[in-house]
Structures are given as structure tokens and as C-alpha cells.
């Protein structure tokens, strides 16, 4: 049974070239049938992926290709239906013809949001020691 659904934005910073980027993940938390465990299911653009917060799900740096574990930047809970009795809702009377534009709408990609601003890059071999 699904106990929580959310959209989580994970931020990554490359420890090699200091490139910053972020990716949105759909996350479902659920309990197994026997109630003996709670699990998380991550996906990107509808494709199952490992947790970005673990080495197995570490994202490759878009600039240099090294893999880095993410950290949670923000999240938005997605309410599960049906919700409270006064929750706004609309009955679908003709499922085959209900909002047909949804079928052809482009998918919203997990990196379609505005990315973090990049800091000025230091020349190779330059150190920030003693600055500031």
C-alpha cells in the first residue's frame, strides 16, 4: 500500500570540477503486504532508478562524467486520492474522451527546471585557500 507520494529535487555538486546540477525524482513510499517493511521507489521520467542518495543511484556530472551522490534540495508531497470528503474533485463520466490532450502532451522531464547558477570556475591548479 502506498503511504506517501512526493516529488523530490536532488542537488548534486561535482567534487572534481564543482559543477552544480539538480534532478527531480518521483518518490513513492509504501508498506509491503505483510506490513513488515517500508520501502521507497524512485523514478525519473517514468523509469525506475536507484535512490539518488546512495552510491548506486549517484548521478554522472554533466560536465566531466564523474558520479556523485545527491542531497535533498526540496520536496513536494502529492496528496493521495480520494482525500477528505470536501476535497475538490471532478467525476469522469467518459474516460475514453476525457481530456484527450493529456495523451499527446509532452512529458515534463526531470531536468526541465531551471538549474542552479554555476560559480565562476578557477583556472586548473588554482586553490581557494586563503580567499575570503
Amino acid at each position: 500500500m502506498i503511504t506517501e507520494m512526493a516529488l523530490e529535487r536532488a542537488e548534486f555538486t561535482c567534487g572534481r570540477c564543482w559543477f552544480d546540477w539538480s534532478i527531480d525524482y518521483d518518490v513513492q513510499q509504501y508498506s509491503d503486504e505483510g506490513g513488515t517493511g517500508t520501502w521507497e521507489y524512485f523514478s525519473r521520467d517514468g523509469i525506475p532508478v536507484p535512490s539518488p542518495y546512495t552510491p548506486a543511484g549517484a548521478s554522472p556530472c554533466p560536465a566531466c562524467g564523474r558520479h556523485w551522490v545527491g542531497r535533498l534540495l526540496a520536496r513536494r508531497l502529492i496528496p493521495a486520492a480520494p482525500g477528505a470528503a470536501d476535497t475538490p474533485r471532478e467525476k469522469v463520466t467518459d474516460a475514453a474522451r476525457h481530456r484527450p490532450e493529456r495523451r499527446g502532451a509532452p512529458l515534463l522531464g526531470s531536468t526541465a527546471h531551471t538549474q542552479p547558477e554555476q560559480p565562476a570556475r578557477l583556472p586548473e591548479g588554482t586553490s581557494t585557500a586563503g580567499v575570503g
Side-chain angles (χ1 to χ4, degrees):
M1 171 172 83
I2 295 174
T3 57
E4 182 179 276
M5 294 187 299
L7 174 72
E8 291 187 358
R9 182 163 294 165
E11 182 178 46
F12 303 86
T13 300
C14 180
R16 180 176 185 204
C17 69
W18 301 108
F19 189 85
D20 289 321
W21 72 101
S22 56
I23 300 172
D24 291 346
Y25 293 85
D26 296 311
V27 183
Q28 293 179 11
Q29 191 174 86
Y30 64 95
S31 297
D32 59 16
E33 288 182 22
T36 60
T38 300
W39 305 83
E40 282 188 320
Y41 168 79
F42 288 81
S43 64
R44 271 186 65 191
D45 299 334
I47 300 168
V49 295
S51 167
Y53 312 118
T54 64
S59 178
C61 173
C64 73
R66 297 281 301 264
H67 287 245
W68 298 96
V69 172
R71 64 188 167 281
L72 182 62
L73 181 64
R75 75 189 309 252
R76 179 179 68 226
L77 289 175
I78 300 168
D86 61 344
T87 302
R89 58 188 178 170
E90 179 181 331
K91 185 168 181 74
V92 176
T93 56
D94 185 357
R97 287 192 245 158
H98 182 72
R99 299 202 43 203
E101 68 275 11
R102 285 182 173 169
R103 290 174 194 75
L107 294 177
L108 181 61
S110 59
T111 57
H113 58 276
T114 303
Q115 294 293 309
E117 293 203 18
Q118 300 305 311
R121 293 219 186 340
L122 296 173
E124 193 68 35
T126 304
S127 171
T128 59
V131 175

